[in-house]
Amino acid sequence: MKRVFKFLGYFLGVAVLLLVVGVSAVYALSAQKLGRSYAVAVKPVAIPTDAAALLRGRHIAETRGCIDCHGRDFGGAKVIDDPAVGVMWGPNLTTGRGGLAAGFNDEDWIRAIRHGVAKDGHPLVLMPSLEYSHFSDDDLGALVAYLKTVPKVDRDRVALTVGPVARALMLAGEIKLAAEHIDHAGLRPPTVVPGVTLDYGRYLAVGCTGCHGEQFAGGRIPGAPPDWPLARNLTPAGDLARWSEQDFLKVLETGVRPDGKQLNPVMPIAFGQMNDTEKQALWLYLKSLPPVAAGQ
């Protein structure tokens, strides 16, 4: 019996040692990713000041996910607060106390939104710039113009902490730092004309890829908490095979599926605030996709 206990003691000791070494390696390697500096040559974008552009910028901010992380007042909001994943808040984007905008110039805005890189050159953790890098110059300029006008909010910053699970998922490629995957020098955002067209629908659909995947087939959302649902298949092999255009528009506008079931709150309701042209163009593009089995 003593031998058994002695063996178990050795086994547990080795297991603990391996665990410590593994965790240390995860922290060290992820720290390299988080601490990497990106020297981005920011391409200037015209920042308009007219009322129509500011209205367009507000529409983009409200329909492309900005309020999900930064709050409806853009003063910052909690996104994740979990010991294993970390504490992550979308920062205060206003010129109030704790806000980033007080020290931002136009280049800083463009670097953060389009490139996913902070003012100090480090990668932004939560910023979905893989999707935002696709913004046209006109849309990006309008968005920056609007964000520069939002009222001051006094809200202190919450320090970012990245937990062990998030760090492991980062190393596994499940959580992507946008700055690491964007071709900063070769970035060529499209020029699009709003309309009910495949081109405009394709342009808008980039905003869906973060959860539904590059093939829009849905499945497990990368880096999502375990209690989150699978993203739905947006190709004609999924719900769209049974839905009409009116069904699709109604789902976006009301958050209720044709079968009467409410969409999971994980699905941003902001997409329902798209205008008719945007929603119809998105429908047109998604219906044109080749059917792909769910989760691919």
Side-chain angles (χ1 to χ4, degrees):
M1 185 62 70
K2 289 183 179 180
R3 289 183 178 180
V4 172
F5 284 126
K6 188 175 182 180
F7 173 78
L8 288 176
Y10 284 139
F11 178 80
L12 290 175
V14 171
V16 169
L17 178 62
L18 290 175
L19 179 61
V20 170
V21 171
V23 171
S24 299
V26 165
Y27 268 81
L29 293 173
S30 60
Q32 290 180 8
K33 283 181 174 287
L34 293 168
R36 180 180 172 184
S37 184
Y38 293 82
V40 176
V42 176
K43 173 190 170 185
V45 171
I47 310 298
T49 57
D50 60 284
L54 293 177
L55 192 62
R56 173 64 181 164
R58 177 178 178 177
H59 177 73
I60 294 170
E62 292 178 345
T63 60
R64 303 300 195 274
C66 301
I67 59 177
D68 292 330
C69 293
H70 298 286
R72 194 161 290 278
D73 61 0
F74 299 99
K78 182 176 69 176
V79 180
I80 297 173
D81 188 353
D82 183 287
V85 181
V87 177
M88 304 181 192
W89 283 60
N92 183 344
L93 296 183
T94 77
T95 56
R97 188 190 72 248
L100 295 176
F104 262 30
N105 57 33
D106 293 347
E107 184 177 289
D108 297 327
W109 284 109
I110 297 166
R111 184 188 299 106
I113 297 171
R114 177 168 279 176
H115 296 274
V117 177
K119 187 173 182 176
D120 63 4
H122 291 146
L124 296 172
V125 175
L126 287 176
M127 191 68 177
S129 293
L130 279 172
E131 301 164 34
Y132 295 166
S133 64
H134 195 68
F135 280 172
S136 68
D137 285 355
D138 286 344
D139 279 353
L140 179 58
L143 175 60
V144 172
Y146 170 69
L147 292 175
K148 291 170 65 175
T149 68
V150 297
K152 293 182 178 181
V153 175
D154 291 329
R155 189 170 300 145
D156 293 331
R157 300 180 193 179
V158 177
L160 172 75
T161 63
V162 184
V165 171
R167 288 172 180 268
L169 290 173
M170 195 181 299
L171 294 178
E174 291 292 321
I175 295 178
K176 294 182 179 180
L177 296 176
E180 191 176 24
H181 296 274
I182 292 173
D183 179 5
H184 301 285
L187 197 58
R188 298 291 184 272
T191 299
V192 294
V193 178
V196 184
T197 63
L198 284 175
D199 282 345
Y200 194 49
R202 182 182 299 108
Y203 172 75
L204 296 170
V206 173
C208 307
T209 57
C211 290
H212 296 276
E214 293 183 3
Q215 296 197 58
F216 302 95
R220 186 172 57 82
I221 300 172
D227 59 337
W228 277 28
L230 300 179
R232 306 292 292 193
N233 186 347
L234 297 184
T235 77
D239 292 323
L240 300 193
R242 301 178 295 277
W243 291 1
S244 67
E245 181 179 4
Q246 288 306 310
D247 290 334
F248 177 75
L249 298 181
K250 187 175 180 180
V251 169
L252 287 182
E253 292 164 2
T254 66
V256 179
R257 295 163 50 85
D259 60 9
K261 294 180 179 178
Q262 191 80 26
L263 290 181
N264 191 286
V266 168
M267 173 65 182
I269 60 173
F271 287 107
Q273 299 177 38
M274 285 183 168
N275 59 42
D276 290 343
T277 296
E278 291 170 327
K279 286 182 281 194
Q280 290 168 10
L282 187 57
W283 164 261
L284 186 66
Y285 174 68
L286 293 177
K287 284 291 288 185
S288 76
L289 293 172
V292 178
Q296 290 190 17

